[in-house]
């Protein structure tokens, strides 16, 4: 029975992450057959902002972040409540469930395994696993976005910030392996943004329009 509970939680984490929020929002509220055929071709919050506007983009961002948070925070709590795992092992399952939600977002079973880049879902996972670092990462993201107007650059920098914060005494986790997890997540974000890196180097990456920014 213990194995069954764990298997169900891990499967639920992946299926939760697989919910193609951008795709479904585009179809249900905007009559858009496939948002991946527009803009950057990505099924994530950034492309939703670009193609469908701020209201749709904000909704997708919130839901995609919730996918990571629910998977990393509530599913392990459910396992503890069922007696399937000991409370001291909850962190391991927070990481496992969070990572599976991220994998589901990037490779969703409900959308031909073509999803988003995982930024919002990583954010949600971080809130469930290491919330103390999230505020700093958000400030870094906002600062980079305002300075350079590239969402991709801001996302990768915030992910790397999360990893580096784990090395500082103020944020150092009780479990040393969390440092490695932080760098793995940062590497994952860089990998999913590899096309953006190419466009950044070529000077063709799209900028976020700001009211006060010169075009």
């Amino acid at each position: 029975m213990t194995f069954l509970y764990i298997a169900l939680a891990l499967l639920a984490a992946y299926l939760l992450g697989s919910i193609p929020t951008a795709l479904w929002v585009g179809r249900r509220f905007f009559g858009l057959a496939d948002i991946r055929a527009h803009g950057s071709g990505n099924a994530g919050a950034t492309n939703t902002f670009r193609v469908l506007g701020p209201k749709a983009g904000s909704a997708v961002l919130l839901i995609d972040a919730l996918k990571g948070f629910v998977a990393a925070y509530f599913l392990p709590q459910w396992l503890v409540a069922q007696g399937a795992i000991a409370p001291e092992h909850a962190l391991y399952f927070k990481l496992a469930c969070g990572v599976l939600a991220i994998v589901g977002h990037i490779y969703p079973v409900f959308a031909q395994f073509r999803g988003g880049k995982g930024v919002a879902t990583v954010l949600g996972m971080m809130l469930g696993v290491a919330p103390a670092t999230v505020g700093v990462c958000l400030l870094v993201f906002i600062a980079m976005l305002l300075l350079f107007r590239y969402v991709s650059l801001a996302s990768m920098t915030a992910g790397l910030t999360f990893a580096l914060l784990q090395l500082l005494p103020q944020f150092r986790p009780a479990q040393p392996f969390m440092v490695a997890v932080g760098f793995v997540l940062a590497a994952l974000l860089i990998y999913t943004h590899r096309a953006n890196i190419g466009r950044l180097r070529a000077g063709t990456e799209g900028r976020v329009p700001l009211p006060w920014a010169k075009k």
Side-chain angles (χ1 to χ4, degrees):
M1 186 61 73
T2 296
F3 175 79
L4 178 61
Y5 281 133
I6 292 174
L8 285 174
L10 296 177
L11 177 62
Y14 171 74
L15 294 177
L16 184 64
S18 286
I19 296 173
T21 316
L23 197 64
W24 289 357
V25 166
R27 287 177 180 171
R28 175 64 178 84
F29 298 102
F30 295 88
L32 201 64
D34 192 339
I35 195 172
R36 295 169 297 186
H38 304 270
S40 65
N42 182 257
T46 301
N47 199 38
T48 305
F49 272 102
R50 183 181 294 115
V51 176
L52 301 178
K55 290 184 179 179
S58 298
V60 170
L61 176 65
L62 176 61
I63 295 171
D64 285 348
L66 278 173
K67 294 191 302 187
F69 179 76
V70 170
Y73 188 80
F74 288 107
L75 287 176
Q77 282 194 344
W78 177 76
L79 287 174
V80 171
Q82 300 303 316
I85 62 172
E88 59 268 23
H89 297 153
L91 177 60
Y92 300 101
F93 287 91
K94 283 185 175 184
L95 296 173
C97 290
V99 167
L100 281 172
I102 295 167
V103 171
H105 179 78
I106 299 171
Y107 303 107
V109 69
F110 302 126
Q112 301 83 45
F113 301 99
R114 291 173 51 220
K117 295 176 181 175
V119 177
T121 312
V122 169
L123 171 64
M125 175 189 175
M126 290 193 303
L127 280 169
V129 175
T133 62
V134 173
V136 178
C137 293
L138 285 175
L139 288 175
V140 170
F141 176 89
I142 293 170
M144 292 294 292
L145 187 62
L146 293 177
L147 282 172
F148 300 103
R149 295 166 53 202
Y150 292 121
V151 174
S152 55
L153 181 62
S155 300
M156 289 185 286
T157 305
L160 185 58
T161 299
F162 176 77
L164 293 174
L165 285 175
Q166 309 297 310
L167 301 175
L168 299 179
Q170 298 91 330
F171 298 95
R172 187 170 295 151
Q175 294 81 2
F177 73 89
M178 272 295 295
V179 176
V181 170
F183 280 97
V184 168
L185 289 176
L188 178 64
L189 286 180
I190 292 172
Y191 173 77
T192 59
H193 284 83
R194 58 195 183 281
N196 302 82
I197 293 173
R199 291 193 293 269
L200 284 168
R201 295 178 64 182
T204 57
E205 177 77 337
R207 291 176 182 264
V208 173
L210 297 176
W212 60 85
K214 295 180 179 180
K215 295 183 179 179

